[in-house]
Amino acid sequence: MDKNYDYLIVGSGLFGATFAHQMTKAGKKCLVIDKRGHQGGNIYCREIEKINVHWYGPHIFHTNDKEIWDFVNSFVEFNRFTYTPVANYKGELYSLPFNMNTFYQLWKTKTPAEAKSIIDEQVAKNFIKQPKNLEEQALNFVGKDIYVKLIKGYTEKQWGRKAIELPAFIIKRLPLRFTYDNNYFSDKYQGIPIGGYNKLVEGLLEGVEVQLGTDFFKNKDELIKLATKIVYTGKLDEYFSYSLGHLQYRSLEFNHQVLDTENYQGSAAVNYTDFETPYTRIVEHKHFEFGKQPKTVITKEYPLEWTTEKEPYYPINDFENETLANQYKKLKELEPNVIFGGRLAEYKYYDMHQVIASSLHAAKAELNVR
Ligand code: FAD
Ligand code: UDP
């Protein structure tokens, strides 16, 4: 039977959309399907009150890679937004990430030497040569005060696990700085697409056939007949019918609200770092694009364990799940005509720039360009 498409791409998120763009540019015929009613995966924005609402959580693009930055800017211009979230611990406000402003708020220290000496003293009390989990890593990194007020509660509710059960690498995402700099990221390039992320996805998918509301697994037998190769960006274990057991994911519930006020919290994000507040953060979307609309839209983000009817937002890369994911990855060898890519199919805690890099790499490999 004749195949109509070179590639059937399952998922219109950044991995699928980037791959489709590269292959279409190279003259290949692609069909992108997505089970959701919109394209873009988790970077999708919905316009409410003329504000681009980051429908699946706040997305700030950041990278050190000029090629990736130029690539995304070739579809849409990015603004100069810098992420400077605030932490609220039981009503006390602290600057994030951990920097000289935070240290002043905690201890009234004014110089790097003063702050360093407090952190060094606290680190020395609990120092562990080879930290094996997030708690040990955090105590080695910033000491007890910051760990208790700004890390432990947030982390344990975000992941639904004790910090001693979580991998150390998660906390390495956050910088520690002895300058008065509230920039959450240390990357060279950072911003938000002017007009929202949908513009980026529309640019990537220009000229590509997209079929929404189509679940790969509900129509698998028919769909696989359509293309020579499949690009799969859904859950790794689901592809293999959970034959080796279930991988765990962390899910979220987003409670979006329109408020009749111009400026609710003065920051794109406030993190609630105590354990008792049931949400991890409140996002106020207009600040991503310096909006001056008369109303505002806020989102409270509630972490949840993933179950079949929920969206799997985060892989849980602890030892048990990594071991199982690696066993599934071995099964990929039995599927030479399937490319597995993105946060879910690679089971990696990827940021957007990393997903794009992975997709560009996969496209290059397909085209044998070195
Ligand atoms: P996804 O965006 O998940 O796309 C996968 C698509 O596949 C989905 O649209 C899904 O519906 C579809 N799909 C799955 N299974 C099937 C099926 N069976 N049939 C059909 N379609 C299917 N990154 C940053 O760089 N900066 C940030 O600030 C940032 N913030 C984040 C905040 C949150 C709350 C979350 C969850 C993630 C954040 N990220 C951030 C990460 C970013 O969202 C991801 O790196 C990126 O969007 C992943 O793209 P993807 O294509 O791999 O997956
Ligand atoms: N984290 C924390 N306190 C904060 C923000 C983050 O303890 O105020 C920890 C938490 O464990 C989180 C990790 O740092 O999962 C990584 O944070 P990041 O903001 O990168 O998470 P994401 O945006 O991916 O949810």
Side-chain angles (χ1 to χ4, degrees):
M1 181 188 173
D2 270 359
K3 303 278 189 187
N4 292 332
Y5 300 94
D6 295 300
Y7 296 95
L8 168 73
I9 301 172
V10 181
S12 64
L14 261 186
F15 191 97
T18 301
F19 191 90
H21 175 80
Q22 293 301 93
M23 287 311 186
T24 305
K25 201 170 72 177
K28 305 286 180 194
K29 208 166 166 221
C30 300
L31 171 64
V32 175
I33 61 162
D34 203 298
K35 63 180 175 185
R36 297 187 191 176
H38 61 74
Q39 58 192 33
N42 290 339
I43 67 170
Y44 166 72
C45 292
R46 183 168 295 183
E47 196 189 299
I48 300 175
E49 297 291 338
K50 299 207 162 24
I51 297 163
N52 292 309
V53 175
H54 294 203
W55 202 245
Y56 302 101
H59 279 76
I60 302 92
F61 200 94
H62 56 95
T63 180
N64 266 322
D65 187 331
K66 179 144 187 347
E67 231 177 274
I68 302 274
W69 183 242
D70 289 344
F71 179 74
V72 293
N73 274 274
S74 72
F75 301 101
V76 54
E77 191 187 339
F78 278 61
N79 70 16
R80 57 142 199 91
F81 177 83
T82 304
Y83 194 45
T84 56
V86 174
N88 182 322
Y89 177 75
K90 302 189 179 191
E92 297 166 12
L93 295 186
Y94 296 99
S95 303
L96 290 173
F98 318 124
N99 74 86
M100 288 299 293
N101 291 305
T102 328
F103 310 145
Y104 178 74
Q105 292 147 357
L106 279 164
W107 310 307
K108 295 283 175 280
T109 49
K110 293 183 182 140
T111 64
E114 285 167 7
K116 259 192 193 132
S117 110
I118 294 183
I119 290 177
D120 287 350
E121 194 186 315
Q122 294 192 6
V123 166
K125 276 193 188 143
N126 296 291
F127 189 75
I128 289 171
K129 233 180 178 177
Q130 277 169 337
K132 288 179 298 302
N133 58 54
L134 195 151
E135 177 166 296
E136 291 177 0
Q137 174 67 33
L139 287 169
N140 267 9
F141 179 46
V142 289
K144 194 162 179 206
D145 287 358
I146 294 177
Y147 176 64
V148 168
K149 290 194 165 180
L150 301 177
I151 296 176
K152 187 175 167 39
Y154 185 99
T155 295
E156 295 192 341
K157 68 183 168 184
Q158 163 72 1
W159 296 99
R161 282 154 181 78
K162 295 270 171 221
I164 49 168
E165 293 163 5
L166 287 163
F169 86 89
I170 293 178
I171 203 64
K172 293 185 189 161
R173 289 169 62 88
L174 305 191
L176 168 67
R177 279 193 206 113
F178 292 90
T179 51
Y180 289 92
D181 179 0
N182 294 334
N183 184 353
Y184 199 68
F185 302 109
S186 302
D187 287 347
K188 209 161 162 185
Y189 308 103
Q190 181 176 171
I192 301 286
I194 298 171
Y197 281 94
N198 296 358
K199 295 217 158 162
L200 171 60
V201 179
E202 282 156 19
L204 287 166
L205 290 175
E206 200 183 315
V208 179
E209 206 177 319
V210 181
Q211 206 175 292
L212 299 173
T214 306
D215 188 328
F216 178 63
F217 296 107
K218 292 207 174 118
N219 309 277
K220 191 173 170 190
D221 293 344
E222 295 305 307
L223 287 165
I224 57 173
K225 288 184 198 146
L226 298 177
T228 313
K229 275 196 163 182
I230 294 168
V231 175
Y232 177 77
T233 74
K235 283 163 51 231
L236 176 62
D237 51 350
E238 188 174 17
Y239 185 88
F240 295 104
S241 313
Y242 306 105
S243 56
L244 304 176
H246 278 264
L247 285 166
Q248 292 177 309
Y249 301 87
R250 198 70 182 147
S251 191
L252 297 167
E253 197 173 286
F254 298 101
N255 175 258
H256 305 289
Q257 282 172 261
V258 177
L259 301 180
D260 196 5
T261 179
E262 203 207 314
N263 186 359
Y264 172 71
Q265 62 182 18
S267 172
V270 177
N271 290 3
Y272 287 77
T273 55
D274 65 302
F275 185 75
E276 291 73 24
T277 305
Y279 42 86
T280 46
R281 53 189 168 191
I282 301 184
V283 173
E284 187 171 15
H285 302 269
K286 69 193 317 177
H287 297 304
F288 289 122
E289 296 184 63
F290 317 108
K292 297 276 178 279
Q293 299 85 347
K295 293 192 183 178
T296 197
V297 183
I298 62 160
T299 304
K300 289 181 181 160
E301 211 169 297
Y302 296 83
L304 303 165
E305 200 59 17
W306 178 82
T307 52
T308 35
E309 68 287 356
K310 299 198 174 72
E311 286 292 341
Y313 291 107
Y314 295 90
I316 299 177
N317 298 101
D318 59 12
F319 179 75
E320 229 170 79
N321 284 293
E322 275 293 289
T323 308
L324 184 55
N326 286 334
Q327 287 165 4
Y328 273 117
K329 284 178 190 175
K330 286 199 187 115
L331 297 184
K332 294 196 309 194
E333 287 159 23
L334 308 173
E335 303 279 338
N337 289 328
V338 184
I339 295 163
F340 293 82
R343 220 185 213 210
L344 297 173
E346 294 182 64
Y347 202 70
K348 282 195 177 151
Y349 191 0
Y350 272 151
D351 279 330
M352 291 182 278
H353 60 291
Q354 295 163 318
V355 169
I356 293 176
S358 170
S359 185
L360 290 175
H361 180 79
K364 246 187 201 171
E366 274 300 286
L367 295 167
N368 281 325
V369 183
R370 277 169 228 291

